[in-house]
Amino acid sequence: MAKTYGNLINGRWMDSPGGGTIKSVNPANTDDVVGTVPASTKEDVDAAVKAARDAFGYWRLVPPPKRGEILFRAAELILKNKEELGRLVTREMGKILAEGLGDVQEAIDMAYYMAGEGRRLSGETVPSELAAKDCKSVRVPVGVFALITPWNFPTAIPAWKLLPALIGGNTVVFKPSSYTPVAATRLVELLVEAGVPDGVVNLVHGSGEGVGEVLASHHGIDGVSFTGSSAVGERLATLCSGLDKEVSCEMGGKNPIIVMDDARLDLAVEGCIWGAFGTTGQRCTAASRIIVHEKVYDRFLDIFIKATRRLRVGDGLNEETQVGPLINESQMKKVLEYIDIGRSEGARLITGGRRLCEAEYAKGYFVEPTVFADVTPAMRIAREEIFGPVAAVLKARDLDEAIAIANDSEYGLSSAIYTQDVNKSAVAERDLDAGIVYINAPTIGAEIQLPFGGIKKSGMGHREAGGRGGAIEMFTRWKVIYRDFSGRLQKAQIEE
Ligand code: UN1
């Protein structure tokens, strides 16, 4: 029997009064049920929001360095449980074990980083134009946050939101993806063990439509932080507009890698393989467009196809596996549909393209790593996010054309260029229209100490993660304090 996990409301683990449940299954073997969680109702959301509101009065006054101590303990606990959690991420989400462990490592990194922020959270003090008066800006919490996270990073993305929200003094209601609820629950269990007080983190399971939207638009919620598809993000933003909520959305991508004629092709191929097929292409940062200089186009394709064909697809828990399954049937169907679209648009399918369903693949959602060549910028497979192991290779005449193709997208999350020429790398760095630019590295693998996010359809509101302009901006508001200690009425702008 698979283990049953509950919601966490005001420090108590509980079922939903609705009685419905959601099964989380291993996408590499659907007979393997990882656990069941409640299919929550509006009542659960109401109770969780109330618990978070009640706890906010206390938590906002806990000094940030003390909040930081809890986060340090959380970091240590996640580290201690890294192996178990990493395996769970792989079993529940499908990414290969090295990546499952990497997912957890990103949560650990974020926990240490945000713990340290507890001793920074700095504002400004500036002189007043009047005597015996001081002026400063301080960061204050926003209030109660709804955190809605996707399945592709079952511990990392929740950690990106939970930890900065907590250090900023907010309380939260967290709704993880219903495809990876068990890993999210284990993460919350560790936060509780680290000493997060009752009501400060509440966990409500359920689907996006059933629970996520009710939660995001709830009158007791002050801010919403969402990661997922652009369609859902845009719907949430519309739903919340006019409701005076802070909304930040991290959404899709159609991330390009440019390969110049002077690039080290071995390195570029390795990077394109990792960027396009790592996490089975299920990253918002995945490289789904590869734009190759015409002089090296044929040579690049030849090496790239050979490397793609060598990739070993399988269960992520198996050590030889390099590419795991897709998360569920509907994602698999979507990927296969895009492969059909690519074919019918006239792109040249040069490797992959099929579902794998024999023998070890029979009970999972496996699709071959797929490469389309001779893709043109107008084709749908060059424009729409596929979120699977499908790379579209395009040809460019020179750097200017490559950058123009790269920027001709509704998305703008990550981008990359392979070149040995320092001047070309500088032009790309300046002109690529994206939140992140990599030089001689693929589009995936952002580190947590800098802001993460994109422009256009890729991002809305504040960036995630660390650094100036990162998640601390999302999870705090500025308050400006003027203190007059002159003992008389002083008039700004009026007194000489
Ligand atoms: C995502 O795909 O939603 O940069 C996040 C990366 C990871 C995060 C990806 N650190 O690829």
Side-chain angles (χ1 to χ4, degrees):
M1 266 286 281
K3 203 167 155 196
T4 303
Y5 297 83
N7 288 334
L8 178 69
I9 298 177
N10 205 19
R12 285 187 44 225
W13 292 98
M14 55 177 78
D15 290 337
S16 167
T21 56
I22 296 174
K23 244 201 276 179
S24 169
V25 298
N26 178 344
N29 171 11
T30 52
D31 286 348
D32 177 23
V33 179
V34 182
T36 60
V37 296
S40 307
T41 62
K42 179 159 184 317
E43 265 179 279
D44 301 297
V45 174
D46 287 341
V49 172
K50 179 174 184 319
R53 285 235 78 85
D54 291 347
F56 179 60
Y58 160 76
W59 184 245
R60 76 182 184 92
L61 298 178
V62 173
K66 296 277 175 235
R67 297 178 204 142
E69 283 169 23
I70 297 176
L71 264 52
F72 267 119
R73 283 201 294 277
E76 299 283 290
L77 281 168
I78 306 169
L79 179 60
K80 204 169 119 202
N81 291 277
K82 181 176 171 183
E83 183 70 28
E84 176 233 310
L85 265 173
R87 288 190 164 271
L88 175 59
V89 165
T90 293
R91 183 171 160 222
E92 192 172 40
M93 184 272 163
K95 61 175 75 175
I96 62 171
L97 186 54
E99 291 184 34
L101 294 166
D103 193 308
V104 179
Q105 186 59 46
E106 206 161 333
I108 297 166
D109 295 343
M110 191 59 110
Y112 281 125
Y113 183 93
M114 286 299 163
E117 283 296 284
R119 290 190 183 268
R120 284 184 287 268
L121 288 183
S122 53
E124 285 182 292
T125 54
V126 289
S128 168
E129 62 195 47
L130 297 166
K133 184 180 175 195
D134 54 31
C135 317
K136 65 180 177 186
S137 60
V138 294
R139 290 186 185 273
V140 295
V142 175
V144 178
F145 256 91
L147 308 180
I148 302 175
T149 59
W151 44 261
N152 67 335
F153 278 83
T155 62
I157 294 181
W160 287 11
K161 300 189 190 300
L162 284 161
L163 304 167
L166 293 181
I167 205 70
N170 306 279
T171 58
V172 308
V173 180
F174 167 36
K175 198 221 67 80
S177 164
S178 52
Y179 290 99
T180 50
V182 179
T185 305
R186 282 293 294 133
L187 182 69
V188 170
E189 283 174 356
L190 294 175
L191 293 181
V192 170
E193 198 181 330
V196 171
D198 292 353
V200 171
V201 171
N202 303 276
L203 171 69
V204 178
H205 291 290
S207 67
E209 313 80 61
V211 173
E213 292 192 6
V214 176
L215 172 62
S217 54
H218 198 287
H219 62 86
I221 291 291
D222 302 301
V224 180
S225 175
F226 165 83
T227 299
S229 71
S230 301
V232 174
E234 282 164 5
R235 198 164 68 236
L236 280 186
T238 313
L239 212 64
C240 295
S241 79
L243 298 179
D244 298 326
K245 296 183 198 305
E246 294 277 338
V247 183
S248 289
C249 296
E250 209 48 70
M251 303 177 288
K254 192 72 193 170
N255 312 289
I257 296 183
I258 296 175
V259 180
M260 291 305 295
D261 52 344
D262 58 55
R264 257 188 56 194
L265 282 192
D266 57 337
L267 198 64
V269 166
E270 214 184 337
C272 291
I273 291 281
W274 177 229
F277 304 123
T279 326
T280 321
Q282 299 173 112
R283 293 199 194 206
C284 53
T285 50
S288 49
R289 293 184 292 153
I290 300 173
I291 305 163
V292 186
H293 193 288
E294 61 182 12
K295 276 200 198 141
V296 289
Y297 185 81
D298 291 334
R299 206 142 42 91
F300 171 86
L301 263 187
D302 185 48
I303 317 176
F304 185 53
I305 294 157
K306 284 188 184 129
T308 304
R309 289 195 179 125
R310 277 197 298 272
L311 287 171
R312 172 89 188 88
V313 179
D315 182 339
L317 286 171
N318 178 342
E319 272 185 14
E320 278 107 63
T321 299
Q322 291 166 296
V323 179
L326 291 158
I327 185 72
N328 56 32
E329 191 171 356
S330 74
Q331 280 300 122
M332 183 181 70
K333 282 193 174 143
K334 179 177 162 204
V335 170
L336 293 170
E337 249 168 61
Y338 270 107
I339 292 172
D340 282 345
I341 291 169
R343 274 202 190 99
S344 62
E345 289 180 307
R348 185 156 58 95
L349 176 72
I350 44 178
T351 186
R354 288 180 313 131
R355 175 180 183 190
L356 294 165
C357 36
E358 262 99 71
E360 62 172 306
Y361 302 120
K363 290 184 172 157
Y365 305 118
F366 295 97
V367 172
E368 288 176 323
T370 299
V371 179
F372 279 104
D374 304 346
V375 176
T376 61
M379 289 180 185
R380 285 181 64 193
I381 58 164
R383 310 198 73 78
E384 297 172 19
E385 186 179 50
I386 299 175
F387 226 62
V390 182
V393 184
L394 299 91
K395 195 187 279 187
R397 243 181 354 258
D398 53 20
L399 180 61
D400 284 351
E401 194 188 35
I403 291 176
I405 294 171
N407 290 345
D408 177 18
S409 173
E410 290 183 314
Y411 296 101
L413 180 54
S414 187
S415 59
I417 182 165
Y418 278 85
T419 177
Q420 299 274 76
D421 181 331
V422 66
N423 296 343
K424 289 190 178 127
S425 80
V427 170
E429 177 183 323
R430 186 191 63 193
D431 292 345
L432 279 170
D433 223 358
I436 306 170
V437 178
Y438 287 91
I439 294 156
N440 291 328
T443 51
I444 66 175
E447 302 178 31
I448 62 93
Q449 63 275 25
L450 282 166
F452 177 90
I455 58 169
K456 299 191 260 185
K457 263 187 184 320
S458 295
M460 200 188 309
H462 295 292
R463 297 277 159 100
E464 308 239 39
R468 228 177 288 156
I472 294 296
E473 301 301 331
M474 188 187 303
F475 292 108
T476 58
R477 280 200 236 269
W478 286 113
K479 185 183 263 186
V480 169
I481 317 288
Y482 296 103
R483 177 170 44 197
D484 192 318
F485 52 100
S486 69
R488 65 183 185 86
L489 175 64
Q490 300 189 92
K491 293 180 180 156
Q493 294 92 38
I494 309 276
E495 285 188 24
E496 288 294 307

